[in-house]
Coordinates of all heavy atoms in Angstrom, one line a residue:
D1 N -1.2 7.6 -7.9 CA -1.9 6.7 -8.8 C -1.1 5.5 -9.1 O -1.6 4.4 -9.1 CB -2.2 7.4 -10.1 CG -3.3 8.5 -9.9 OD1 -4.0 8.5 -8.9 OD2 -3.5 9.3 -10.8
L2 N 0.2 5.7 -9.3 CA 1.1 4.5 -9.6 C 1.2 3.6 -8.4 O 1.1 2.4 -8.5 CB 2.5 5.0 -10.0 CG 3.5 3.9 -10.3 CD1 3.1 3.1 -11.4 CD2 4.9 4.6 -10.5
A3 N 1.3 4.2 -7.2 CA 1.3 3.4 -6.0 C 0.0 2.6 -5.8 O 0.0 1.4 -5.4 CB 1.7 4.2 -4.8
D4 N -1.1 3.3 -6.0 CA -2.4 2.7 -5.9 C -2.6 1.5 -6.9 O -3.1 0.4 -6.5 CB -3.5 3.7 -6.1 CG -4.9 3.2 -5.8 OD1 -5.0 2.7 -4.6 OD2 -5.8 3.3 -6.6
Q5 N -2.1 1.7 -8.1 CA -2.2 0.6 -9.1 C -1.3 -0.6 -8.7 O -1.7 -1.7 -8.9 CB -1.7 1.1 -10.5 CG -2.7 2.1 -11.1 CD -2.0 2.8 -12.4 OE1 -1.1 2.3 -12.9 NE2 -2.6 4.0 -12.7
S6 N -0.2 -0.3 -8.1 CA 0.7 -1.4 -7.6 C 0.0 -2.2 -6.5 O 0.1 -3.4 -6.5 CB 2.0 -0.8 -7.1 OG 2.7 -0.1 -8.1
L7 N -0.7 -1.5 -5.6 CA -1.4 -2.2 -4.5 C -2.5 -3.1 -5.1 O -2.7 -4.2 -4.7 CB -2.0 -1.2 -3.6 CG -1.1 -0.5 -2.6 CD1 -1.8 0.6 -1.9 CD2 -0.6 -1.5 -1.5
K8 N -3.3 -2.5 -6.1 CA -4.4 -3.3 -6.7 C -3.8 -4.5 -7.4 O -4.4 -5.6 -7.3 CB -5.2 -2.4 -7.6 CG -6.0 -1.4 -6.9 CD -6.7 -0.5 -7.9 CE -7.5 0.6 -7.1 NZ -8.1 1.6 -8.0
L9 N -2.7 -4.3 -8.1 CA -2.1 -5.4 -8.9 C -1.6 -6.5 -7.9 O -1.9 -7.7 -8.1 CB -1.0 -5.0 -9.7 CG -0.2 -6.0 -10.5 CD1 -1.2 -6.7 -11.5 CD2 0.9 -5.4 -11.3
A10 N -1.0 -6.1 -6.8 CA -0.4 -7.0 -5.8 C -1.6 -7.8 -5.2 O -1.5 -9.1 -5.2 CB 0.3 -6.3 -4.8
F11 N -2.7 -7.2 -4.9 CA -3.8 -7.9 -4.2 C -4.4 -8.8 -5.2 O -4.8 -10.0 -4.9 CB -4.8 -6.9 -3.7 CG -5.9 -7.5 -2.9 CD1 -5.7 -7.9 -1.6 CD2 -7.2 -7.7 -3.5 CE1 -6.8 -8.4 -0.9 CE2 -8.2 -8.2 -2.8 CZ -8.0 -8.6 -1.5
S12 N -4.6 -8.4 -6.5 CA -5.2 -9.3 -7.5 C -4.4 -10.5 -7.8 O -4.9 -11.5 -8.2 CB -5.4 -8.5 -8.8 OG -4.2 -8.2 -9.5
K13 N -3.1 -10.4 -7.5 CA -2.2 -11.6 -7.8 C -2.0 -12.4 -6.5 O -1.2 -13.4 -6.5 CB -0.8 -11.1 -8.2 CG -0.8 -10.4 -9.6 CD -1.3 -11.3 -10.7 CE -1.3 -10.6 -12.0 NZ -1.8 -11.4 -13.1
G14 N -2.7 -12.1 -5.5 CA -2.8 -13.0 -4.3 C -1.9 -12.5 -3.1 O -1.8 -13.2 -2.1
I15 N -1.2 -11.4 -3.3 CA -0.4 -10.8 -2.2 C -1.4 -10.3 -1.1 O -2.3 -9.5 -1.4 CB 0.5 -9.7 -2.6 CG1 1.6 -10.3 -3.5 CG2 1.1 -9.0 -1.4 CD1 2.6 -9.3 -4.1
N16 N -1.3 -10.9 0.1 CA -2.1 -10.4 1.2 C -1.4 -9.7 2.3 O -2.0 -9.2 3.3 CB -2.9 -11.6 1.8 CG -2.1 -12.5 2.7 OD1 -0.8 -12.5 2.6 ND2 -2.7 -13.4 3.4
F17 N -0.1 -9.6 2.2 CA 0.8 -9.1 3.2 C 1.3 -7.7 2.8 O 2.1 -7.6 1.9 CB 1.9 -10.0 3.5 CG 2.8 -9.7 4.7 CD1 2.5 -8.7 5.6 CD2 4.0 -10.4 4.9 CE1 3.3 -8.4 6.7 CE2 4.8 -10.1 6.0 CZ 4.5 -9.2 6.9
F18 N 0.9 -6.7 3.5 CA 1.2 -5.3 3.2 C 1.9 -4.7 4.4 O 1.4 -4.7 5.6 CB 0.0 -4.5 2.9 CG -0.7 -5.0 1.6 CD1 -1.7 -6.0 1.7 CD2 -0.3 -4.5 0.4 CE1 -2.3 -6.4 0.6 CE2 -1.0 -5.0 -0.8 CZ -1.9 -5.9 -0.7
D19 N 3.1 -4.2 4.2 CA 4.0 -3.7 5.3 C 4.3 -2.2 5.2 O 4.4 -1.7 4.1 CB 5.3 -4.5 5.2 CG 6.3 -4.1 6.3 OD1 6.0 -4.2 7.5 OD2 7.4 -3.6 5.9
C20 N 4.4 -1.6 6.3 CA 4.7 -0.2 6.4 C 5.5 0.1 7.7 O 5.9 -0.8 8.4 CB 3.4 0.7 6.3 SG 3.7 2.3 5.7
A21 N 5.7 1.4 7.9 CA 6.4 1.8 9.2 C 5.9 3.2 9.5 O 5.6 4.0 8.6 CB 7.9 1.8 9.1
D22 N 5.8 3.5 10.8 CA 5.4 4.9 11.2 C 6.2 6.0 10.7 O 5.7 7.1 10.4 CB 5.2 5.0 12.7 CG 6.5 4.6 13.5 OD1 7.5 4.4 12.8 OD2 6.4 4.6 14.7
A23 N 7.5 5.8 10.4 CA 8.4 6.8 10.0 C 8.6 7.0 8.5 O 9.2 8.0 8.1 CB 9.8 6.6 10.6
Y24 N 8.0 6.0 7.8 CA 8.2 6.2 6.3 C 7.5 7.4 5.8 O 6.3 7.6 6.0 CB 7.6 4.9 5.6 CG 8.3 3.6 5.8 CD1 7.8 2.4 5.4 CD2 9.6 3.6 6.4 CE1 8.5 1.2 5.6 CE2 10.3 2.4 6.6 CZ 9.7 1.2 6.2 OH 10.4 0.0 6.3
S25 N 8.2 8.2 5.1 CA 7.7 9.5 4.5 C 7.0 10.3 5.6 O 6.0 11.0 5.3 CB 6.8 9.2 3.4 OG 7.5 8.5 2.3
G26 N 7.5 10.3 6.8 CA 6.9 11.1 7.9 C 5.5 10.8 8.2 O 4.7 11.6 8.7
G27 N 5.1 9.5 8.0 CA 3.7 9.1 8.3 C 2.9 9.1 7.0 O 1.8 8.5 7.0
A28 N 3.3 9.7 5.9 CA 2.5 9.8 4.7 C 2.3 8.4 4.1 O 1.2 8.2 3.5 CB 3.2 10.8 3.7
A29 N 3.3 7.6 4.2 CA 3.2 6.2 3.6 C 2.1 5.4 4.3 O 1.3 4.7 3.7 CB 4.5 5.5 3.7
E30 N 2.0 5.5 5.6 CA 0.9 4.8 6.4 C -0.4 5.4 6.0 O -1.4 4.7 5.8 CB 1.1 5.0 7.9 CG 2.0 4.0 8.5 CD 2.0 4.0 10.0 OE1 1.6 5.1 10.6 OE2 2.5 3.1 10.6
R31 N -0.5 6.7 5.9 CA -1.8 7.4 5.6 C -2.3 7.0 4.2 O -3.4 6.6 4.0 CB -1.7 8.9 5.7 CG -1.6 9.4 7.2 CD -1.7 10.9 7.3 NE -0.6 11.6 6.7 CZ 0.6 11.8 7.3 NH1 0.8 11.4 8.5 NH2 1.5 12.5 6.6
F32 N -1.3 6.9 3.2 CA -1.7 6.5 1.9 C -2.1 5.0 1.9 O -3.1 4.7 1.3 CB -0.5 6.7 0.9 CG -0.7 6.1 -0.4 CD1 -1.5 6.7 -1.4 CD2 -0.2 4.8 -0.7 CE1 -1.7 6.1 -2.6 CE2 -0.5 4.2 -1.9 CZ -1.2 4.9 -2.9
L33 N -1.4 4.2 2.5 CA -1.7 2.8 2.6 C -3.1 2.5 3.2 O -3.9 1.7 2.7 CB -0.6 2.0 3.3 CG -0.7 0.5 3.3 CD1 -0.6 -0.1 1.8 CD2 0.4 -0.2 4.1
G34 N -3.3 3.2 4.3 CA -4.6 3.1 4.9 C -5.8 3.4 4.0 O -6.8 2.7 4.0
K35 N -5.6 4.5 3.3 CA -6.7 5.0 2.4 C -6.8 4.0 1.2 O -7.9 3.6 0.9 CB -6.3 6.3 1.9 CG -7.4 6.9 0.9 CD -7.0 8.3 0.5 CE -8.0 8.9 -0.5 NZ -7.6 10.2 -1.0
A36 N -5.7 3.5 0.7 CA -5.7 2.7 -0.5 C -6.3 1.3 -0.2 O -7.0 0.7 -1.0 CB -4.3 2.5 -1.1
L37 N -6.0 0.8 1.0 CA -6.4 -0.6 1.4 C -7.9 -0.6 1.8 O -8.4 -1.7 1.9 CB -5.6 -1.2 2.5 CG -4.1 -1.5 2.1 CD1 -3.4 -2.0 3.3 CD2 -4.1 -2.5 1.0

């Protein structure tokens, strides 16, 4: 929930660049980012 709120706040403030990597958290970070975006 905290990570999701951070994404929403970033987007609302004009951030359009979201970065990840295949190895972050064993792929969980990419899966989360994909769902949240």
Side-chain angles (χ1 to χ4, degrees):
D1 288 344
L2 180 61
D4 190 53
Q5 291 170 20
S6 298
L7 283 169
K8 288 177 181 173
L9 179 62
F11 187 78
S12 74
K13 297 297 183 184
I15 291 176
N16 73 343
F17 188 9
F18 297 89
D19 178 61
C20 204
D22 57 3
Y24 292 168
S25 300
E30 276 189 341
R31 291 188 293 275
F32 171 81
L33 187 61
K35 182 179 177 185
L37 289 179

